[in-house]
Amino acid sequence: MTLDAIFASFTNPPKEYSPVPIWWWSGERLDRQRLRWQLERFAEGGVYNLIVLNLAPTGPLYGADADDPPFLSEAWWEIFLGMCEDARQLGVRIWFYDQLGFSGANFQGEVVRETPRFAGQWLESIVYEGEERTELICPPEGIPLAAGVTPLDAQGQPAGAVTLLPLRDGRVTVEAGKGRRARLVYAVRRGFDYFNPEGCAKLLDKVHGEFERRAGHLFGEVIVGSFQDELPSLATWGEDFAAAFFTQTGYDILPRLVALWDGRGPDADRLRADYHRVRAALAEEAFFKPLFAWHERHGLLCGFDQQGPARAGHPIASVYFYADYLRTHRWYTAPGSDHHGEAKIHSSLAHLYGRPRVWIEAFHTTGWGGTLEETFDWLLPWLRAGATLYDPHAVYYSTRGGWWEWAPPSTCWRQPYWRHYSHFSRAVSRLCYVLSQGHHVCDIGLLFPATTVQAGLPPDAQPLPEAQAAHDCYQKLVGSMFWQNMQPGVLRLRSPRL
């Protein structure tokens, strides 16, 4: 694109760069005419993109009555599709919310209820450091996997190789002795198995497949993307995890499970790094790549704001929650966070993998009093750090006459500034458009310490000193964009251009 074309579009930015507020369909029964009226107000305010999100899809939640009609019911689809036709007439683009994270929909639970083997598994352990002879017993709900004893130094830290102990019927006998730690490792079933391709296919079909069947004719023209918020954590074990680990690494993890916690030295570091690498690879193939492929097939964008503090580029949390945050989350076309997260790491994902937009969901829970001037001032650091898609949180279908709210404000016609909102929206659209053009030129590259943290992070997320040191160093370099307490990092203090 030529500079003349960019400047021409800067004067009249494309509508897809306008703010993309969350439109909460909650509070009271939906009415098609009322939705049409609200769409007209959005268009008047220069808002041409909306995320339809049901807060209470299966029952009362966060002070809101159950959504009426229920999410994905026949009555809901009739209203939603009718609203989409109104949006088409008004030039408004719609995003849908996938209900896989922050939600009461519990589609993962539905899949597990229908097929119990799609439940996730999590590694847990029983530890004994006493001197007397004892017996460790796996809990009734546990699946016993391995047991071993590790010598300890004078400070109570592991100081030698793990010696395996025989497991019989979920029990292990620990002989009397001093200066050692016995551990029985077992798995428990809970949550969802994001390592299972068949289970993930069924999960994606629950929402994405249903939107394809019901509203596929609107994809690309009216429905332009989906949004995911706070995807649950990846499990730490699975039904086929041991076999997959052997296939990918060439060695058996089962006799080494105790060493995930108590192993020290290069071999144990490699084991933990391989363990998290396999977690990431399995989830990438089963969930993240198919999610990306579905959106690509239909010409749709997909944005996210995941669990904190992983969304803030927190190295330890990002490994514990998502195994390898950058590897798994490169499969979204609009990576990002809310204002409790970080823009730079998601901007880096977008630049490295050719993704067109960078998400910033803001500024929920800041109260009703923020002005447009203040909001613009709050937004600028995020745009400077690389965000290019502004998702205001939020607009309520209803506040029940002011008696109900969820994480205010509502940036809409309820505000005294709404008559001026089109000017604000136009300014944001210009900036988001121009910042999305061209190719990023990087002055400084910073290595995200994923492998170091993986090598020092046991399944219980209690980091070893090397992992904690890498985490702390990275945090000091980049600082924090957490809205309530922004802290510039060393790189920003030393390099004002960043």
Side-chain angles (χ1 to χ4, degrees):
M1 180 177 287
T2 66
L3 282 177
D4 287 343
I6 290 175
F7 283 122
S9 295
F10 185 70
T11 304
N12 188 26
K15 289 182 177 180
E16 58 261 37
Y17 293 93
S18 85
V20 189
I22 293 171
W23 189 14
W24 288 106
W25 278 19
S26 299
E28 58 184 286
R29 182 169 179 79
L30 296 175
D31 176 78
R32 169 77 184 280
Q33 295 305 313
R34 184 171 177 180
L35 290 171
R36 168 78 189 204
W37 182 89
Q38 293 186 3
L39 280 170
E40 291 171 349
R41 303 290 79 72
F42 285 124
E44 290 173 0
V47 174
Y48 298 103
N49 300 275
L50 295 164
I51 305 165
V52 172
L53 198 158
N54 282 75
L55 178 63
T58 56
L61 192 66
Y62 300 114
D65 292 338
D67 293 337
D68 185 12
F71 181 59
L72 300 189
S73 65
E74 289 297 328
W76 187 91
W77 277 113
E78 181 180 353
I79 290 173
F80 177 82
L81 293 174
M83 178 278 300
C84 284
E85 290 303 324
D86 291 337
R88 186 204 302 271
Q89 295 172 18
L90 294 166
V92 175
R93 299 147 55 95
I94 301 298
W95 298 59
F96 69 88
Y97 178 58
D98 67 15
Q99 296 285 345
L100 299 184
F102 173 86
S103 167
N106 195 24
F107 287 114
Q108 290 91 331
E110 285 187 15
V111 173
V112 171
R113 185 176 64 245
E114 295 164 3
T115 312
R117 65 186 177 88
F118 294 150
Q121 294 186 25
W122 297 76
L123 290 179
E124 296 188 1
S125 67
I126 301 171
V127 175
Y128 176 70
E129 295 184 4
E131 298 180 3
E132 298 179 356
R133 186 177 189 272
T134 192
E135 185 178 57
L136 303 182
I137 303 173
C138 179
E141 69 277 9
I143 304 167
L145 297 172
V149 62
T150 308
L152 304 178
D153 62 19
Q155 287 72 45
Q157 295 300 311
V162 176
T163 300
L164 293 179
L165 298 175
L167 263 172
R168 295 185 180 88
D169 299 323
R171 297 168 178 261
V172 61
T173 299
V174 182
E175 299 296 339
K178 295 182 179 180
R180 81 281 193 273
R181 173 185 297 158
R183 188 183 297 271
L184 189 161
V185 180
Y186 60 95
V188 293
R189 292 184 176 91
R190 66 172 181 266
F192 183 76
D193 186 2
Y194 293 98
F195 305 148
N196 189 301
E198 185 182 352
C200 289
K202 287 183 177 293
L203 176 62
L204 293 176
D205 188 65
K206 288 280 186 181
V207 179
H208 299 77
E210 191 66 4
F211 269 91
E212 181 177 352
R213 288 184 288 271
R214 300 275 194 153
H217 61 288
L218 299 170
F219 286 178
E221 181 184 2
V222 178
I223 297 175
V224 296
S226 77
F227 176 56
Q228 186 178 98
D229 193 23
E230 300 180 7
L231 182 74
S233 303
L234 306 183
T236 58
W237 193 248
E239 188 175 71
D240 302 318
F241 191 91
F245 186 94
F246 184 84
T247 299
Q248 293 191 33
T249 67
Y251 65 97
D252 190 357
I253 191 175
L254 283 172
R256 297 172 172 84
L257 281 176
V258 173
L260 287 174
W261 282 268
D262 298 324
R264 298 295 185 271
D267 288 344
D269 290 345
R270 176 195 169 201
L271 170 68
R272 282 183 288 266
D274 284 346
Y275 164 73
H276 290 296
R277 179 169 59 81
V278 173
R279 287 178 68 214
L282 291 175
E284 186 179 35
E285 292 298 325
F287 179 79
F288 293 99
K289 281 186 177 180
L291 179 69
F292 173 79
W294 186 89
H295 285 84
E296 287 292 285
R297 186 165 67 250
H298 296 293
L300 305 179
L301 296 178
C302 184
F304 70 80
D305 162 43
Q306 303 296 30
Q307 293 184 70
R311 61 186 166 210
H314 188 287
I316 290 172
S318 69
V319 170
Y320 179 63
F321 291 158
Y322 302 114
D324 186 332
Y325 189 74
L326 300 183
R327 177 175 179 173
T328 54
H329 285 76
R330 60 182 170 166
W331 299 106
Y332 294 80
T333 42
S337 73
D338 68 4
H339 58 290
H340 294 166
E342 192 82 14
K344 202 60 152 178
I345 189 170
H346 299 106
S347 175
S348 296
L349 270 178
H351 291 308
L352 284 169
Y353 295 101
R355 309 309 186 208
R357 307 292 295 277
V358 179
W359 200 280
I360 171 59
E361 174 200 328
F363 294 92
H364 65 75
T365 326
T366 57
W368 289 94
T371 65
L372 289 182
E373 179 184 19
E374 289 170 324
T375 302
F376 193 70
D377 185 58
W378 299 339
L379 183 60
L380 286 178
W382 296 89
L383 299 181
R384 185 178 70 171
T388 59
L389 187 155
Y390 172 45
D391 164 24
H393 186 301
V395 175
Y396 306 114
Y397 170 75
S398 171
T399 62
R400 298 185 70 88
W403 285 98
W404 179 79
E405 63 182 17
W406 166 246
S410 183
T411 55
C412 65
W413 51 88
R414 297 181 178 92
Q415 295 282 6
Y417 57 61
W418 184 253
R419 58 180 175 166
H420 307 295
Y421 198 85
S422 62
H423 301 289
F424 170 82
S425 176
R426 198 169 175 79
V428 170
S429 301
R430 290 192 187 103
L431 288 171
C432 288
Y433 168 74
V434 76
L435 291 171
S436 298
Q437 307 308 306
H439 299 283
H440 182 60
V441 177
C442 178
D443 294 324
I444 297 174
L446 178 63
L447 179 68
F448 188 76
T451 302
T452 304
V453 172
Q454 289 170 334
L457 193 68
D460 60 3
Q462 299 301 311
L464 302 185
E466 295 83 356
Q468 187 67 59
H471 169 95
D472 293 343
C473 180
Y474 176 82
Q475 293 287 91
K476 288 177 182 177
L477 285 169
V478 301
S480 170
M481 292 191 70
F482 191 87
W483 183 81
Q484 282 90 341
N485 186 26
M486 281 193 176
Q487 298 290 334
V490 172
L491 283 177
R492 183 156 297 168
L493 291 172
R494 299 292 177 86
S495 305
R497 291 174 56 197
L498 294 177

